Amino acid sequence: MVSLNMYRYVLLIFILMILGGCQTPSINEDVKNVKQTSINEDESEKDEQELEANSDLTIPSLSETFYDYFPIGAAIEPHQISNETSELLIKHVNMLVAENVMKPDAIQPTEGNFNWEPTDRIIEFAKEHNMEVRFHTLVWHSQVGDWFFKDEDGYPMIDEENAEKREQNKQLLLERLKTHVTTIVERYKDDISSWDVVNEVVEPQDEDGMRASEWYQITGTEYIETAFYAAREAGGPDIKLYLNDYGTDHPKKRNIIYDLVSELLEKGVPIDGIGHQTHIDIHGPTIASIMESINKFNELGLDNIITELDMSIYAWDDHQDFGNEIPLEILNKQAERYEALFHEFVENQDKISEVVFWGMADDHTWLHSFPVERTNAPLLFDFNHQPKPAFWSVVNIVRDEE
Ligand code: GLA
């Protein structure tokens, strides 16, 4: 049997050689190559099958399913566009945002030194695959270089007691902020239309309900105004400018944001909408409270976007860890809640213009290390990039309607 096969190979090689006019490698080499090829073919067939099972190309696409309602986005690190996550991204989302690389400390780590490359890569990938990109975030109290808040002599502005010097510091900080915003928006205004201008500026526990960040302590609310004006001036009327925050469903926080934004709008500050981070869990908050906020800001004439959606499988104050054994009932509960949430999003599509997940699959999420190190599974795809019960409950809302 073996020798008959060998004879066939040798014959085949000679025929190919004569037809192709190519040079003859030694017979031994050829036999070796044929064997090798057949092993590789088997292996690559197996790889392909595994790949297909992993990325499950036969399931519906999220972004196609919701195409008539709103774009579906995901937050990513640039390396994910060249690893296996890219297949999920290409199939399921039509909007990308950076998980970290657009944040102040990443994009302008030291004064005047901008690191464009990671954001450029995300934009390039998005263009290649017909996706939109959103920007997160021009201003934040966290992940921002210290240099912003140092005076000309390198001392922390916050410690200054002299009133005149404090005023000079404030102007210097606002100037730096304006340069930061203008430089970034001018570069990306044609590629990015949805911008988080400020992130998490409200904190109900702090005095006045405004977060007592260095931004606020040094400039009051002027930093917020400066950032929005600078973004509009650099980006023109077509880009959309958002104030982004978490816990926007909480009545107290919702009201503080509402009052702040109403006041700013009255002054003419160009704010287009509210970004609701929507880091929720399987127990709370109620979907009704989330929708109450959306309705309230809609009545103020503002757009609403869901910017960082994920759903922890634990209650916020519960530090247990399911490890590798997440109970099915938990995943089903998650599916039910995702379904209820998307049901509202679909019903209120005229008030919500983007829905962006904070991640793509459960193998990569900030919730593996927050609030403690543990397994979490907040997204629609599992650790192996397989659709979870939550994926089906979400896509079936639209499929059932059709
Ligand atoms: C906040 C920020 C995001 C991100 C998440 C956690 O919601 O807005 O940029 O840092 O926390 O990862």
Side-chain angles (χ1 to χ4, degrees), residues 99 103 136 140 143 199-200 244 277 279 308 358 366:
E99 199 176 331
K103 289 175 180 170
H136 171 82
W140 197 18
Q143 293 184 249
N199 191 32
E200 302 176 351
N244 190 50
Q277 291 185 8
H279 293 293
E308 306 182 19
W358 204 246
W366 69 295

Side-chain angles (χ1 to χ4, degrees), residues 88 188 241 244 376:
L88 279 184
Y188 293 126
L241 308 177
N244 190 50
N376 209 330

Side-chain angles (χ1 to χ4, degrees), residues 177-225:
L177 172 60
K178 195 169 175 200
T179 305
H180 183 77
V181 171
T182 307
T183 311
I184 297 168
V185 176
E186 273 176 358
R187 182 179 177 92
Y188 293 126
K189 64 178 191 292
D190 298 329
D191 298 318
I192 298 182
S193 65
S194 169
W195 294 78
D196 287 344
V197 177
V198 296
N199 191 32
E200 302 176 351
V201 298
V202 158
E203 171 50 74
Q205 318 261 12
D206 289 348
E207 221 185 315
D208 315 335
M210 294 302 299
R211 180 180 296 281
S213 63
E214 286 175 273
W215 292 112
Y216 185 65
Q217 291 186 57
I218 298 164
T219 78
T221 51
E222 268 184 67
Y223 77 100
I224 304 175
E225 298 178 21

